[in-house]
Amino acid sequence: MSLLSRSTSRALPPLLVALLALSACVNGQPPAPPLPPLQKAPPLTAADATFAQTLNDMNMTQIALGQAAQTHAARSDLAALGGTIAKDLTANQATLTKLVAPHALTLTAKPSTAGQKTINRYKTLHGPAFDRSYVRYLSHENTRMKPVLDAEIAGSKNPDLVKLATDTKTALATYATQVK
């Protein structure tokens, strides 16, 4: 072997190793940044839990009545409003369920006894009788829920529940103005 080929054969392996190492750096991806620490959900107070249960019952009852309004109302504006209420409060219910999921709070899957009694009564009404009762119910429910929503907005430290209460209050006020 010649001197040139001997030195080339000794220099070639370290050179190949260096080139492979460099190509791994160029073709490889940089390491992923560390994940941010998990944020804990804001704690629910007893008042927040009571609010969540009250809102859950209102949502369940109004969703069922909104669905009934679509087929039982004589006025087309009430039938359309019932559909809007059912759709909006279904989304509201999904948000509420998502907010309380990290906590040890289970929302009921059906309305309270009083809510179910109201739903059953409205299922027997049709036409103008349904319309009169439904308008009164929406007005009464807006009046009943306003202080509950205001208390949650003013007293809760959970910003997600405060936003939900504010959005619900706005929605109920909008529904009340549409039925006059």
Side-chain angles (χ1 to χ4, degrees):
M1 249 180 149
S2 74
L3 186 59
L4 183 58
S5 66
R6 200 182 278 175
S7 66
T8 307
S9 66
R10 287 186 186 160
L12 194 55
L15 183 61
L16 284 174
V17 170
L19 286 174
L20 286 174
L22 286 175
S23 70
C25 290
V26 173
N27 293 332
Q29 295 193 6
L35 293 174
L38 292 176
Q39 293 181 355
K40 279 185 142 181
L44 290 183
T45 63
D48 289 340
T50 300
F51 168 74
Q53 295 290 2
T54 303
L55 186 60
N56 178 60
D57 184 50
M58 185 219 55
N59 285 341
M60 302 287 262
T61 304
Q62 286 217 19
I63 289 167
L65 293 178
Q67 291 168 342
Q70 293 175 344
T71 57
H72 291 63
R75 291 175 35 189
S76 62
D77 63 325
L78 285 182
L81 179 62
T84 301
I85 290 172
K87 182 180 84 103
D88 292 350
L89 294 184
T90 298
N92 197 22
Q93 185 66 18
T95 302
L96 179 63
T97 302
K98 185 176 152 188
L99 289 176
V100 300
H103 306 283
L105 181 64
T106 304
L107 298 174
T108 60
K110 48 188 181 176
S112 66
T113 305
Q116 190 59 53
K117 195 175 196 180
T118 301
I119 293 166
N120 292 342
R121 185 168 45 91
Y122 277 80
K123 284 184 177 180
T124 64
L125 299 174
H126 294 278
F130 179 90
D131 295 351
R132 283 189 301 277
S133 292
Y134 191 55
V135 168
R136 273 194 310 261
Y137 172 80
L138 290 175
S139 175
H140 175 276
E141 197 63 12
N142 187 32
T143 303
R144 181 183 78 84
M145 285 301 293
K146 188 176 182 325
V148 173
L149 295 166
D150 286 339
E152 183 66 16
I153 292 167
S156 180
K157 302 267 188 270
N158 188 313
D160 296 327
L161 281 178
V162 170
K163 181 180 179 339
L164 182 62
T166 304
D167 293 347
T168 303
K169 181 180 174 182
T170 302
L172 291 179
T174 301
Y175 304 149
T177 61
Q178 291 179 7
V179 295
K180 292 186 178 192

